[in-house]
Amino acid sequence: MGVRLSGSRPLRHPEVMAAPDLSVLRSRFPALGRRMDGRPCVFADAPGGSQMPEAVLDAMRDYLVGSNANTHGTFVTSEETDELIARARVAGADLLGADPDQIVFGQNATSLLLAVSRSFGRTLGRGDEVVVTRLDHDANIRPWVLAARDAGAIVRWVDVHDDDVNLDLDSLDAALSDRTRLVAVTLASNAVGTVAPATEVARRAHAAGALVCVDGVHAAQHRSIDVAAIGADIAVCSPYKFFGPHLGMLWAREELLASWEPYKVRPASDAVPDRWETGTLNHEGLAGFVAAVDYLAEIGDTFGAREANVGDRRQRIRRGFDAIGAWERELSDRFLSGLEAIEHVRLFGIGDRARLDERTPTFAVRVGEQPPIETTRALGDRGIFTWDGHYYALELMERLGLEPDLGGAVRIGFCHYSTPDEVDRVLDELATLP
């Protein structure tokens, strides 16, 4: 089902700024200075986790050195930890366009979805239905499937189109009914980079009387997320995908957080949102998270966005992502254009360069008949870091016929700190492989 790229003319965006001075931006990321055999490494593994700017590392160290304590104590470092948690909730709210009391932190998005789906499952009755998609990461599939199984509910599936690997909305319509209780959908595929029509999915789901859970883990590195504009009822993202530490964050409407019963220990608070956070949080991670959100609010200035540092943090984050998106479209256009000359490389997903707004700079490819693990190993030996396999998008890889026998695909992912030279280097190396 891999597609050959067309020879369409490059998409041009008149509003896109000239190439930014990435040397200044990249100097803020210590990891990007790594070298192998005298050459800079290419971090084309961004979909699996981004690198962190020094400000994030400093914030985590500063917390551990100066304020390391548990919460709700009567001494200064404990009070500082309480204040940090409050600031982290505000940062999460600014990131998603939400209210701080609706922000929940945890180990990762997967564990948070498993927790909330377990509680949601207690509201299901036999014969109720949940809807999941073939496009999603398994973290936004399996928790709902398990909840349905335990409740005796029914699972309905939304398929993808063969050509562009985006959601088939006719399939969604066929899956919805007056028994649908929840629809789970990704904002963007972590496997093939497709930006899903989540707002339209939410509109149709709500018309059927269902709740909507959106997975923003991949999208949050590339797009500004507004949960109200999308029409979501639940959303998750992971700070380690957008230049922060390894954490998970969940947002949900306050009435859901208050009415659904979490599994928790008896001494834990029953207040919202605390009741959803099991045990002690990763406080140093929260310090890094706040710094990562501040970084996103500052990035527009680095890219020369007009009025980047005017307005509140939410507005600045949105403008920063506008600048990130413009630059990433240029990187995507360059990569897709280069692939046109490499006949033995197949792309899975949107290859039309007139549709760059419908994808992130994440690409699933296969090089001839070479197993993906051999491709990524060969690239890794040359200092280019990529992923192979299914990346937990198991349903999608099976749908594309790439799992279980073919080893999935090779995932190449760029982000805002990637350079045109890095894109060219990846293309040059792909061209030399079998």
Side-chain angles (χ1 to χ4, degrees):
M1 201 180 296
V3 298
R4 293 293 182 194
L5 299 178
S6 69
S8 58
R9 296 178 60 188
L11 178 66
R12 292 291 173 246
H13 297 264
E15 77 279 7
V16 172
M17 66 288 169
D21 184 357
L22 289 180
S23 64
V24 174
L25 184 149
R26 287 170 63 89
S27 69
R28 302 172 70 176
F29 290 80
L32 299 184
R34 183 166 184 145
R35 303 176 76 88
M36 279 182 61
D37 300 325
R39 300 185 70 185
C41 295
V42 177
F43 290 84
D45 62 338
S50 60
Q51 301 306 311
M52 288 190 285
E54 197 149 22
V56 172
L57 301 170
D58 288 345
M60 296 171 71
R61 182 184 184 280
D62 289 348
Y63 170 79
L64 289 171
V65 170
S67 303
N68 188 20
N70 219 319
T71 60
H72 306 310
T74 56
F75 50 95
V76 63
T77 52
S78 180
E79 292 167 351
E80 288 170 351
T81 296
D82 292 335
E83 293 168 3
L84 168 64
I85 295 171
R87 286 192 289 116
R89 295 202 201 283
V90 171
D94 287 345
L95 187 71
L96 299 182
D99 186 285
D101 290 338
Q102 301 168 326
I103 300 295
V104 177
F105 293 103
Q107 180 182 1
N108 48 54
T110 303
S111 60
L112 287 167
L113 283 173
L114 284 166
V116 77
S117 66
R118 190 181 188 191
S119 297
F120 161 75
R122 299 175 74 180
T123 72
L124 289 174
R126 188 167 296 277
D128 284 343
E129 299 174 0
V130 299
V131 175
V132 293
T133 89
R134 303 284 181 194
L135 189 64
D136 272 77
H137 186 291
D138 212 53
N140 201 31
I141 297 176
R142 193 64 180 167
W144 309 112
V145 170
L146 293 174
R149 181 199 68 184
D150 292 348
I154 298 166
V155 177
R156 305 289 187 192
W157 291 87
V158 180
D159 204 358
V160 297
H161 291 296
D162 290 339
D163 54 354
D164 62 1
V165 197
N166 206 341
L167 292 179
D168 181 344
L169 293 178
D170 289 339
S171 176
L172 170 67
D173 289 340
L176 293 172
S177 77
D178 59 2
R179 298 303 303 270
T180 306
R181 298 294 175 256
L182 180 137
V183 176
V185 63
T186 187
L187 296 182
S189 167
N190 75 307
V192 298
T194 303
V195 174
T199 302
E200 179 60 19
V201 172
R203 186 190 69 79
R204 298 187 191 195
H206 285 156
L211 298 172
V212 176
C213 176
V214 300
D215 176 1
V217 173
H218 180 70
Q221 186 182 104
H222 308 285
R223 298 284 198 277
S224 176
I225 297 174
D226 186 327
V227 290
I230 293 167
D233 299 289
I234 307 164
V236 291
C237 59
S238 297
Y240 71 95
K241 299 294 180 76
F242 52 87
F243 323 111
H246 288 93
L247 287 173
M249 186 175 78
L250 178 141
W251 164 87
R253 289 194 291 108
E254 191 166 359
E255 55 266 38
L256 299 180
L257 295 176
S259 63
W260 290 352
E261 183 181 353
Y263 286 71
K264 69 180 189 67
V265 296
R266 192 169 61 163
S269 171
D270 202 40
V272 172
D274 307 62
R275 68 203 300 247
W276 292 94
E277 294 169 339
T278 57
T280 300
L281 294 173
N282 178 357
H283 300 142
E284 63 271 27
L286 294 181
F289 166 71
V290 173
V293 173
D294 286 339
Y295 170 78
L296 290 171
E298 298 165 4
I299 198 65
D301 184 58
T302 303
F303 276 88
R306 215 173 297 169
E307 298 182 337
N309 285 324
V310 177
D312 61 25
R313 182 166 56 183
R314 175 61 185 162
Q315 293 173 313
R316 292 164 58 209
I317 290 170
R318 185 166 56 248
R319 284 195 291 267
F321 272 111
D322 288 344
I324 285 173
W327 179 239
E328 290 184 344
R329 284 194 296 270
E330 295 293 304
L331 296 174
S332 294
D333 186 58
R334 191 180 191 95
F335 185 76
L336 291 173
S337 177
L339 276 189
E340 292 175 4
I342 311 176
E343 293 185 356
H344 64 288
V345 175
R346 291 174 292 162
L347 174 74
F348 297 85
I350 296 172
D352 185 347
R353 290 156 60 201
R355 298 176 62 189
L356 296 179
D357 287 334
E358 299 176 52
R359 62 141 50 251
T360 69
T362 292
F363 307 93
V365 303
R366 285 185 66 102
V367 179
E369 300 303 318
Q370 187 176 55
I373 192 170
E374 293 185 15
T375 303
T376 58
R377 184 177 292 118
L379 292 172
D381 289 343
R382 303 174 196 190
I384 297 173
F385 306 152
T386 60
W387 286 103
D388 70 273
H390 54 67
Y391 345 111
Y392 283 68
L394 187 57
E395 294 288 341
L396 180 60
M397 287 299 171
E398 290 176 348
R399 172 67 174 80
L400 296 175
L402 299 176
E403 285 284 351
D405 298 327
L406 297 182
V410 176
R411 184 175 66 183
I412 298 166
F414 304 106
C415 67
H416 77 284
Y417 54 61
S418 301
T419 69
D421 286 346
E422 289 180 325
V423 173
D424 292 346
R425 187 170 156 198
V426 173
L427 290 166
D428 290 344
E429 295 295 351
L430 285 174
T432 69
L433 296 178

